[in-house]
Every structure is written in structure tokens, then in C-alpha cells.
Amino acid sequence: VVANGVYSTMIDVKRIPELLDAQALEYDFDIQRQARKRKGTVGQVATVYQKNVNEMVDKMLKGELYPSTLVYNALVGSSETGHELYYDSSKRTLTVTKGVILAVLDGWHRCLSSVEVTRRSPDIKFNFILTITNFTKRQAQKYQADHAKATPISKTRIEMFEASRLADTVTQYLMSDSDLKDRIAAQHIVSPTAGELVSYNVITDAIEREFPMEFRRDAREVGEYLSEFFEEFIAEYSEELFSERKSGSFLTYNKMFAGYIALARKMQKDNIPIRELKNILGEIDFSRENPLWKELGILSGDDATIR
């Protein structure tokens, strides 16, 4: 027992398709956070992001998915016998009484992934944490409202946590063992006052695009090379990077770091010494007045707004 009307246990992933097949588990549009209209009909359909379902199935099959919490609600007033749930404290068992249909309050995509993963691997061993509530519809809706107010994790932060690409490995190397340490923003917005120079997604996407890698050994070598590259870059431009920013200069512009990554790759391929970096960048006019920025789409409109 977690609280009055709230219970916590585990559920075998194979049990979920059984509940769905027996129509003992349902998707309730009144308490779900998202639903959409089906074109040409008056009914609603569940909002499903198939990519998320496929990712969970893949991780379960690989043994890489961590157990998370599903929430099922036994609707107050739905039992044929009076109480929807009966908890025996001596045996520590929870009984769902006759007639009660559990509605998925949180975890519909995980339910769908459970159906697919058991179809592919009938003997799979995996448990979700399960919270069972005994709310009225109004209470369930309030739960969803409170749940929706929780601080979301940005897409950039999720990518950083997952670190699914070799490029993520390179960026995390730079974040821990280079002059870019504490200079890479975990969010997509860079905070110059905090000393940040570039966002995680900008630099990681650029590394993914520019540096071909197949093994972790490759990622380590790329990380070491870029560490040396940015050591030179920061040493040569420390005044512009860390003092008061020069008005109108794009040298420190977040997305310019994608260009620096491309330059690093070009210098590596052509065997150009990193010490030549200052000479190469010295030929570029980084001022806002340079018409090149409009040609490249960095500036747009008569008021020269940054895209």
C-alpha cells in the first residue's frame, strides 16, 4: 500500500497482452492526456507514436530497457460487488473485484510494446513496476493534470542521457577531458554568462555528420583529435570567447561550431596541422556585416535576424 487507494506491485510483461485480450484493460479517452479524431468519423483514436513503441520493443529484446512504472486505474463505481479493490494485509495480496475494468492511466505505449515483444519472444522475462489506483474519473483527470505539470526533459537532454551514437561518446569525452569541459550546454540554448559556448545537439550532430565512425576505438580517436583542435581554438580566441562578446561577431555563435567541426574534419583529411587553425580562421570576416551570412541563411530579412 502506497497511500489510501494507491497500491504498488510488479507485473510480468506477458501478463499485459492477456489483460488486453480479455478486455480487462482499456484505453479511456476521458483520462488520457492525448487523443485524436479519426478522419471521416466522429470517434476518437489513441495517439500512438510507433517509433517510441518500436524503440521499447528493441530495448526489451536486447535486455537494455529499464523497468518503469505503469499506472492502471480501477474506476470508482465500476465494481459489481461494491469495492473495486480488496487488499489483504496479512497475505499482502490485492484483488481486483468482479466487473472492474482497469484503465491505463499512464503507460499505453508500454502496453503496446508488451504485446509486440511477447509476440516476437513468447518466453521473454521482464517486469514493469505497476501502480494501481482507485480514483474517480475526476481524480484520474487531476492526476493527469499534476503529472503534466512535471518538468519535462528536453529532447537534447534525452539524447545526452541515451548516448546511443558514437558521436555522443565523442561529445561526452570532450565534456569530461578537453578545454570544452563545462562549455557544452546540456540544453539547446547556450548561456554565455555560465561560460557555455555550444549546445550538445549542435556539436554532436556535427560530429555525427562529419566524422565516419564504426567502433568505439574510432570515437576515442576522434575525441582526442577534436580535443586538440579545440585546445588550439580556445587558446587563440580566448578573449573573444570568454571576455565581453565582440558586438556583431559570429565567431562565438552556437551554430558556428558545426562549421568548426567540419573544418576540423577537413584539416584532418588533408593533413593540415592544427597550429594552422588561426591562419585559416583569420581569413574569415566574422562580423555581422559580412554578406556571406545571408547567403548561408544564418541571417535573414532586412533587420538581419539570426535564424
Side-chain angles (χ1 to χ4, degrees), residues 220-240:
R220 183 175 64 251
E221 291 173 355
V222 171
E224 290 172 353
Y225 178 78
L226 288 178
S227 176
E228 185 181 351
F229 177 89
F230 282 110
E231 178 182 313
E232 182 74 14
F233 175 74
I234 289 173
E236 291 292 348
Y237 292 99
S238 60
E239 182 179 350
E240 291 90 336

PDB file of all heavy atoms in Angstrom, residues 220-240:
ATOM      1  N   ARG A 220      37.082   7.216 -29.784  1.00  0.00           N
ATOM      2  CA  ARG A 220      38.168   7.683 -28.917  1.00  0.00           C
ATOM      3  C   ARG A 220      39.185   8.506 -29.708  1.00  0.00           C
ATOM      4  O   ARG A 220      39.630   9.564 -29.254  1.00  0.00           O
ATOM      5  CB  ARG A 220      38.846   6.487 -28.248  1.00  0.00           C
ATOM      6  CG  ARG A 220      39.948   6.890 -27.268  1.00  0.00           C
ATOM      7  CD  ARG A 220      40.500   5.692 -26.531  1.00  0.00           C
ATOM      8  NE  ARG A 220      41.157   4.746 -27.437  1.00  0.00           N
ATOM      9  CZ  ARG A 220      40.663   3.560 -27.762  1.00  0.00           C
ATOM     10  NH1 ARG A 220      39.511   3.162 -27.271  1.00  0.00           N
ATOM     11  NH2 ARG A 220      41.318   2.759 -28.587  1.00  0.00           N
ATOM     12  N   GLU A 221      39.510   8.042 -30.911  1.00  0.00           N
ATOM     13  CA  GLU A 221      40.481   8.760 -31.737  1.00  0.00           C
ATOM     14  C   GLU A 221      39.928  10.115 -32.177  1.00  0.00           C
ATOM     15  O   GLU A 221      40.660  11.118 -32.184  1.00  0.00           O
ATOM     16  CB  GLU A 221      40.845   7.905 -32.950  1.00  0.00           C
ATOM     17  CG  GLU A 221      41.655   6.667 -32.586  1.00  0.00           C
ATOM     18  CD  GLU A 221      41.864   5.732 -33.777  1.00  0.00           C
ATOM     19  OE1 GLU A 221      41.293   6.024 -34.860  1.00  0.00           O
ATOM     20  OE2 GLU A 221      42.585   4.727 -33.626  1.00  0.00           O
ATOM     21  N   VAL A 222      38.645  10.152 -32.553  1.00  0.00           N
ATOM     22  CA  VAL A 222      38.021  11.418 -32.946  1.00  0.00           C
ATOM     23  C   VAL A 222      37.982  12.364 -31.758  1.00  0.00           C
ATOM     24  O   VAL A 222      38.258  13.564 -31.883  1.00  0.00           O
ATOM     25  CB  VAL A 222      36.604  11.184 -33.507  1.00  0.00           C
ATOM     26  CG1 VAL A 222      35.882  12.523 -33.713  1.00  0.00           C
ATOM     27  CG2 VAL A 222      36.658  10.414 -34.816  1.00  0.00           C
ATOM     28  N   GLY A 223      37.664  11.834 -30.585  1.00  0.00           N
ATOM     29  CA  GLY A 223      37.625  12.665 -29.383  1.00  0.00           C
ATOM     30  C   GLY A 223      38.975  13.284 -29.073  1.00  0.00           C
ATOM     31  O   GLY A 223      39.073  14.469 -28.724  1.00  0.00           O
ATOM     32  N   GLU A 224      40.025  12.499 -29.213  1.00  0.00           N
ATOM     33  CA  GLU A 224      41.376  13.009 -28.944  1.00  0.00           C
ATOM     34  C   GLU A 224      41.761  14.087 -29.953  1.00  0.00           C
ATOM     35  O   GLU A 224      42.381  15.097 -29.596  1.00  0.00           O
ATOM     36  CB  GLU A 224      42.373  11.846 -28.974  1.00  0.00           C
ATOM     37  CG  GLU A 224      42.217  10.898 -27.790  1.00  0.00           C
ATOM     38  CD  GLU A 224      43.059   9.650 -27.928  1.00  0.00           C
ATOM     39  OE1 GLU A 224      43.664   9.451 -29.021  1.00  0.00           O
ATOM     40  OE2 GLU A 224      43.117   8.847 -26.966  1.00  0.00           O
ATOM     41  N   TYR A 225      41.389  13.864 -31.220  1.00  0.00           N
ATOM     42  CA  TYR A 225      41.725  14.853 -32.248  1.00  0.00           C
ATOM     43  C   TYR A 225      40.967  16.162 -32.012  1.00  0.00           C
ATOM     44  O   TYR A 225      41.554  17.253 -32.060  1.00  0.00           O
ATOM     45  CB  TYR A 225      41.393  14.313 -33.637  1.00  0.00           C
ATOM     46  CG  TYR A 225      41.685  15.310 -34.740  1.00  0.00           C
ATOM     47  CD1 TYR A 225      42.989  15.522 -35.176  1.00  0.00           C
ATOM     48  CD2 TYR A 225      40.662  16.076 -35.296  1.00  0.00           C
ATOM     49  CE1 TYR A 225      43.275  16.458 -36.161  1.00  0.00           C
ATOM     50  CE2 TYR A 225      40.938  17.020 -36.282  1.00  0.00           C
ATOM     51  CZ  TYR A 225      42.244  17.201 -36.710  1.00  0.00           C
ATOM     52  OH  TYR A 225      42.521  18.143 -37.677  1.00  0.00           O
ATOM     53  N   LEU A 226      39.656  16.059 -31.738  1.00  0.00           N
ATOM     54  CA  LEU A 226      38.866  17.278 -31.518  1.00  0.00           C
ATOM     55  C   LEU A 226      39.268  17.980 -30.229  1.00  0.00           C
ATOM     56  O   LEU A 226      39.180  19.208 -30.131  1.00  0.00           O
ATOM     57  CB  LEU A 226      37.373  16.935 -31.498  1.00  0.00           C
ATOM     58  CG  LEU A 226      36.765  16.567 -32.852  1.00  0.00           C
ATOM     59  CD1 LEU A 226      35.295  16.194 -32.698  1.00  0.00           C
ATOM     60  CD2 LEU A 226      36.917  17.724 -33.849  1.00  0.00           C
ATOM     61  N   SER A 227      39.717  17.215 -29.247  1.00  0.00           N
ATOM     62  CA  SER A 227      40.212  17.827 -28.015  1.00  0.00           C
ATOM     63  C   SER A 227      41.417  18.714 -28.321  1.00  0.00           C
ATOM     64  O   SER A 227      41.515  19.852 -27.839  1.00  0.00           O
ATOM     65  CB  SER A 227      40.593  16.736 -27.013  1.00  0.00           C
ATOM     66  OG  SER A 227      41.150  17.306 -25.847  1.00  0.00           O
ATOM     67  N   GLU A 228      42.314  18.223 -29.148  1.00  0.00           N
ATOM     68  CA  GLU A 228      43.484  19.006 -29.548  1.00  0.00           C
ATOM     69  C   GLU A 228      43.067  20.212 -30.403  1.00  0.00           C
ATOM     70  O   GLU A 228      43.598  21.317 -30.242  1.00  0.00           O
ATOM     71  CB  GLU A 228      44.446  18.117 -30.333  1.00  0.00           C
ATOM     72  CG  GLU A 228      45.760  18.802 -30.699  1.00  0.00           C
ATOM     73  CD  GLU A 228      46.683  17.895 -31.487  1.00  0.00           C
ATOM     74  OE1 GLU A 228      46.390  16.679 -31.607  1.00  0.00           O
ATOM     75  OE2 GLU A 228      47.703  18.402 -32.005  1.00  0.00           O
ATOM     76  N   PHE A 229      42.093  19.988 -31.291  1.00  0.00           N
ATOM     77  CA  PHE A 229      41.602  21.066 -32.161  1.00  0.00           C
ATOM     78  C   PHE A 229      41.024  22.210 -31.330  1.00  0.00           C
ATOM     79  O   PHE A 229      41.373  23.387 -31.531  1.00  0.00           O
ATOM     80  CB  PHE A 229      40.529  20.502 -33.105  1.00  0.00           C
ATOM     81  CG  PHE A 229      39.896  21.530 -34.007  1.00  0.00           C
ATOM     82  CD1 PHE A 229      40.443  21.817 -35.256  1.00  0.00           C
ATOM     83  CD2 PHE A 229      38.751  22.216 -33.613  1.00  0.00           C
ATOM     84  CE1 PHE A 229      39.853  22.767 -36.092  1.00  0.00           C
ATOM     85  CE2 PHE A 229      38.157  23.158 -34.440  1.00  0.00           C
ATOM     86  CZ  PHE A 229      38.720  23.440 -35.682  1.00  0.00           C
ATOM     87  N   PHE A 230      40.157  21.892 -30.371  1.00  0.00           N
ATOM     88  CA  PHE A 230      39.522  22.948 -29.578  1.00  0.00           C
ATOM     89  C   PHE A 230      40.462  23.538 -28.535  1.00  0.00           C
ATOM     90  O   PHE A 230      40.271  24.670 -28.091  1.00  0.00           O
ATOM     91  CB  PHE A 230      38.230  22.429 -28.940  1.00  0.00           C
ATOM     92  CG  PHE A 230      37.089  22.371 -29.919  1.00  0.00           C
ATOM     93  CD1 PHE A 230      36.598  21.156 -30.367  1.00  0.00           C
ATOM     94  CD2 PHE A 230      36.526  23.541 -30.418  1.00  0.00           C
ATOM     95  CE1 PHE A 230      35.563  21.103 -31.288  1.00  0.00           C
ATOM     96  CE2 PHE A 230      35.487  23.506 -31.339  1.00  0.00           C
ATOM     97  CZ  PHE A 230      35.005  22.277 -31.778  1.00  0.00           C
ATOM     98  N   GLU A 231      41.481  22.795 -28.157  1.00  0.00           N
ATOM     99  CA  GLU A 231      42.520  23.359 -27.296  1.00  0.00           C
ATOM    100  C   GLU A 231      43.206  24.522 -28.019  1.00  0.00           C
ATOM    101  O   GLU A 231      43.437  25.590 -27.441  1.00  0.00           O
ATOM    102  CB  GLU A 231      43.531  22.279 -26.934  1.00  0.00           C
ATOM    103  CG  GLU A 231      44.688  22.760 -26.070  1.00  0.00           C
ATOM    104  CD  GLU A 231      45.685  21.650 -25.791  1.00  0.00           C
ATOM    105  OE1 GLU A 231      45.251  20.549 -25.426  1.00  0.00           O
ATOM    106  OE2 GLU A 231      46.903  21.881 -25.965  1.00  0.00           O
ATOM    107  N   GLU A 232      43.511  24.310 -29.301  1.00  0.00           N
ATOM    108  CA  GLU A 232      44.115  25.360 -30.109  1.00  0.00           C
ATOM    109  C   GLU A 232      43.138  26.507 -30.336  1.00  0.00           C
ATOM    110  O   GLU A 232      43.490  27.685 -30.211  1.00  0.00           O
ATOM    111  CB  GLU A 232      44.549  24.765 -31.458  1.00  0.00           C
ATOM    112  CG  GLU A 232      45.238  25.749 -32.407  1.00  0.00           C
ATOM    113  CD  GLU A 232      46.655  26.087 -31.984  1.00  0.00           C
ATOM    114  OE1 GLU A 232      47.214  25.371 -31.116  1.00  0.00           O
ATOM    115  OE2 GLU A 232      47.217  27.072 -32.517  1.00  0.00           O
ATOM    116  N   PHE A 233      41.902  26.176 -30.661  1.00  0.00           N
ATOM    117  CA  PHE A 233      40.880  27.197 -30.935  1.00  0.00           C
ATOM    118  C   PHE A 233      40.656  28.092 -29.727  1.00  0.00           C
ATOM    119  O   PHE A 233      40.644  29.329 -29.842  1.00  0.00           O
ATOM    120  CB  PHE A 233      39.573  26.500 -31.334  1.00  0.00           C
ATOM    121  CG  PHE A 233      38.410  27.427 -31.518  1.00  0.00           C
ATOM    122  CD1 PHE A 233      38.324  28.255 -32.633  1.00  0.00           C
ATOM    123  CD2 PHE A 233      37.385  27.477 -30.582  1.00  0.00           C
ATOM    124  CE1 PHE A 233      37.238  29.114 -32.805  1.00  0.00           C
ATOM    125  CE2 PHE A 233      36.310  28.324 -30.744  1.00  0.00           C
ATOM    126  CZ  PHE A 233      36.232  29.147 -31.862  1.00  0.00           C
ATOM    127  N   ILE A 234      40.484  27.504 -28.572  1.00  0.00           N
ATOM    128  CA  ILE A 234      40.198  28.279 -27.365  1.00  0.00           C
ATOM    129  C   ILE A 234      41.412  29.111 -26.955  1.00  0.00           C
ATOM    130  O   ILE A 234      41.276  30.257 -26.517  1.00  0.00           O
ATOM    131  CB  ILE A 234      39.741  27.341 -26.237  1.00  0.00           C
ATOM    132  CG1 ILE A 234      38.326  26.820 -26.560  1.00  0.00           C
ATOM    133  CG2 ILE A 234      39.737  28.053 -24.880  1.00  0.00           C
ATOM    134  CD1 ILE A 234      37.826  25.751 -25.611  1.00  0.00           C
ATOM    135  N   ALA A 235      42.599  28.549 -27.100  1.00  0.00           N
ATOM    136  CA  ALA A 235      43.806  29.302 -26.745  1.00  0.00           C
ATOM    137  C   ALA A 235      43.962  30.540 -27.629  1.00  0.00           C
ATOM    138  O   ALA A 235      44.348  31.618 -27.153  1.00  0.00           O
ATOM    139  CB  ALA A 235      45.038  28.400 -26.876  1.00  0.00           C
ATOM    140  N   GLU A 236      43.652  30.415 -28.927  1.00  0.00           N
ATOM    141  CA  GLU A 236      43.821  31.527 -29.863  1.00  0.00           C
ATOM    142  C   GLU A 236      42.715  32.576 -29.738  1.00  0.00           C
ATOM    143  O   GLU A 236      42.939  33.748 -30.020  1.00  0.00           O
ATOM    144  CB  GLU A 236      43.855  30.995 -31.297  1.00  0.00           C
ATOM    145  CG  GLU A 236      45.089  30.186 -31.641  1.00  0.00           C
ATOM    146  CD  GLU A 236      46.354  31.034 -31.666  1.00  0.00           C
ATOM    147  OE1 GLU A 236      46.251  32.283 -31.644  1.00  0.00           O
ATOM    148  OE2 GLU A 236      47.458  30.452 -31.689  1.00  0.00           O
ATOM    149  N   TYR A 237      41.515  32.164 -29.300  1.00  0.00           N
ATOM    150  CA  TYR A 237      40.383  33.096 -29.297  1.00  0.00           C
ATOM    151  C   TYR A 237      39.760  33.252 -27.910  1.00  0.00           C
ATOM    152  O   TYR A 237      38.573  33.554 -27.781  1.00  0.00           O
ATOM    153  CB  TYR A 237      39.315  32.618 -30.288  1.00  0.00           C
ATOM    154  CG  TYR A 237      39.764  32.709 -31.723  1.00  0.00           C
ATOM    155  CD1 TYR A 237      40.249  31.592 -32.390  1.00  0.00           C
ATOM    156  CD2 TYR A 237      39.723  33.916 -32.404  1.00  0.00           C
ATOM    157  CE1 TYR A 237      40.688  31.670 -33.705  1.00  0.00           C
ATOM    158  CE2 TYR A 237      40.163  34.011 -33.726  1.00  0.00           C
ATOM    159  CZ  TYR A 237      40.633  32.881 -34.364  1.00  0.00           C
ATOM    160  OH  TYR A 237      41.066  32.975 -35.673  1.00  0.00           O
ATOM    161  N   SER A 238      40.562  33.077 -26.881  1.00  0.00           N
ATOM    162  CA  SER A 238      40.036  33.143 -25.516  1.00  0.00           C
ATOM    163  C   SER A 238      39.410  34.502 -25.194  1.00  0.00           C
ATOM    164  O   SER A 238      38.395  34.579 -24.501  1.00  0.00           O
ATOM    165  CB  SER A 238      41.136  32.808 -24.508  1.00  0.00           C
ATOM    166  OG  SER A 238      42.208  33.733 -24.624  1.00  0.00           O
ATOM    167  N   GLU A 239      40.000  35.576 -25.724  1.00  0.00           N
ATOM    168  CA  GLU A 239      39.450  36.913 -25.437  1.00  0.00           C
ATOM    169  C   GLU A 239      38.045  37.055 -26.004  1.00  0.00           C
ATOM    170  O   GLU A 239      37.126  37.512 -25.326  1.00  0.00           O
ATOM    171  CB  GLU A 239      40.349  38.002 -26.014  1.00  0.00           C
ATOM    172  CG  GLU A 239      39.848  39.403 -25.688  1.00  0.00           C
ATOM    173  CD  GLU A 239      40.762  40.483 -26.237  1.00  0.00           C
ATOM    174  OE1 GLU A 239      41.871  40.145 -26.702  1.00  0.00           O
ATOM    175  OE2 GLU A 239      40.361  41.656 -26.198  1.00  0.00           O
ATOM    176  N   GLU A 240      37.862  36.650 -27.263  1.00  0.00           N
ATOM    177  CA  GLU A 240      36.549  36.744 -27.889  1.00  0.00           C
ATOM    178  C   GLU A 240      35.548  35.789 -27.241  1.00  0.00           C
ATOM    179  O   GLU A 240      34.361  36.099 -27.112  1.00  0.00           O
ATOM    180  CB  GLU A 240      36.639  36.416 -29.378  1.00  0.00           C
ATOM    181  CG  GLU A 240      37.369  37.456 -30.202  1.00  0.00           C
ATOM    182  CD  GLU A 240      38.869  37.169 -30.279  1.00  0.00           C
ATOM    183  OE1 GLU A 240      39.380  36.481 -29.362  1.00  0.00           O
ATOM    184  OE2 GLU A 240      39.501  37.626 -31.244  1.00  0.00           O
TER     185      GLU A 240
END
